[in-house]
Amino acid sequence: LPELKERIEIFQVHTKKLKLEENFDMEFMAKHTPGFSGADIANVCNEAALTAARRGASKIAKQDFLDAVDRIIGGIEKKSTIITPFEKKSIAHHEAGHAVVSWLLPHANPLFKVTLIPRGNALGAAWYLPEEHKLHTRSQMMDEMCSLIGGRVAEEMLNGEPSTGAQNDLERLTGMAYAMVQYYGMSDSVGNLSFYDSTGARGYEFTKPYSEKTAQKMDEEVSKLVKDIHDRTIKLLRDHEEGWKAVAELLLEKEVIFAEDVEKILGPKVKPEYA
């Protein structure tokens, strides 16, 4: 997949025949589309042109591109989705939980915006502008996992029990936890071992390259890791409960808020020491 510089060049190719607003920031759009292929970027440009045409504009604005990215990643906006007041409040606090945890942890991805507008299967979403690292440290992965479980923890704090809304978050969290233990040797208990076959040479083996005892140890280590992540996230949100609830209330009021809105409530984004 293209890196930042390559995405800038791809945007330049696909916007040559488009009428853009003055001083259009191509680098901003490239930063906003990490993981996008050339075809994805072409779709963004086409969708942005259609979005501008629908509102009768003579030039394509940055917001048209952002709306196009939202549509391509999240799906079509579902204005007809019926959400009860209880659900809307829960969703707002869930998304605020993600936003606040990522804002307060130095290695979590920088927040771009948070929305309550349903798209695809999602009833809300927190959008990030991840930095494109070639290597990921244990600290980075731990902070990202706390950010992932931030929504679930927020619901537990608000309602006293979890809901089904965190399924995708938990899938990603579980995958990262097992990767740390099984693939990256980031577990003191299991040790510096990796059971990932990057070559594909093992093919269709019917046996695992580790014993049942080791499998049990890995399962226990993953459960402990996730519990530690959960406990750390609860403490973080409790310590900043007033700010978390303020972000959720602002989200309920506006439906879409941006990083600058969160900064007004929580202060500047916490950054790693080496930044």
Side-chain angles (χ1 to χ4, degrees), residues 123-241:
L123 299 176
W127 302 83
Y128 302 93
L129 295 178
E131 297 175 2
E132 298 178 58
H133 297 289
K134 299 299 181 188
L135 298 172
H136 293 84
T137 66
R138 191 176 193 277
S139 297
Q140 289 171 329
M141 295 184 76
M142 294 283 282
D143 282 4
E144 276 303 310
M145 290 164 74
C146 286
S147 179
L148 279 173
I149 207 172
R152 161 59 70 93
V153 168
E155 285 188 45
E156 291 173 353
M157 290 174 61
L158 178 70
N159 300 322
E161 61 179 351
S163 77
T164 57
Q167 180 183 350
N168 180 257
D169 300 329
L170 295 178
E171 286 179 15
R172 292 163 62 195
L173 173 72
T174 304
M176 287 182 72
Y178 269 102
M180 288 177 70
V181 174
Q182 291 186 329
Y183 300 161
Y184 301 128
M186 293 182 179
S187 162
D188 293 336
S189 176
V190 176
N192 296 317
L193 301 174
S194 176
F195 300 103
Y196 179 69
D197 178 19
S198 60
T199 66
R202 287 205 294 263
Y204 297 101
E205 283 187 6
F206 293 101
T207 58
K208 297 176 181 178
Y210 46 82
S211 68
E212 289 301 319
K213 185 177 180 180
T214 300
Q216 182 178 350
K217 184 184 290 187
M218 288 192 291
D219 289 339
E220 290 171 352
E221 190 71 0
V222 167
S223 295
K224 180 180 179 298
L225 175 61
V226 172
K227 184 181 185 304
D228 290 345
I229 291 291
H230 184 272
D231 293 346
R232 181 188 180 202
T233 307
I234 283 181
K235 184 179 186 310
L236 189 67
L237 283 181
R238 281 180 178 160
D239 290 346
H240 298 84
E241 189 166 354

Side-chain angles (χ1 to χ4, degrees), residues 101-111 263 266-272:
V101 172
S102 68
W103 194 264
L104 295 172
L105 292 178
H107 300 292
N109 285 327
L111 181 74
E263 185 170 4
L266 299 175
K269 156 81 174 145
V270 178
K271 296 182 178 180

Side-chain angles (χ1 to χ4, degrees), residues 11-20 45-46 49 60:
F11 266 108
Q12 289 170 341
V13 169
H14 290 294
T15 56
K16 271 185 179 178
K17 296 182 179 180
L18 301 181
K19 293 181 180 179
L20 306 178
C45 295
N46 291 333
I60 308 170

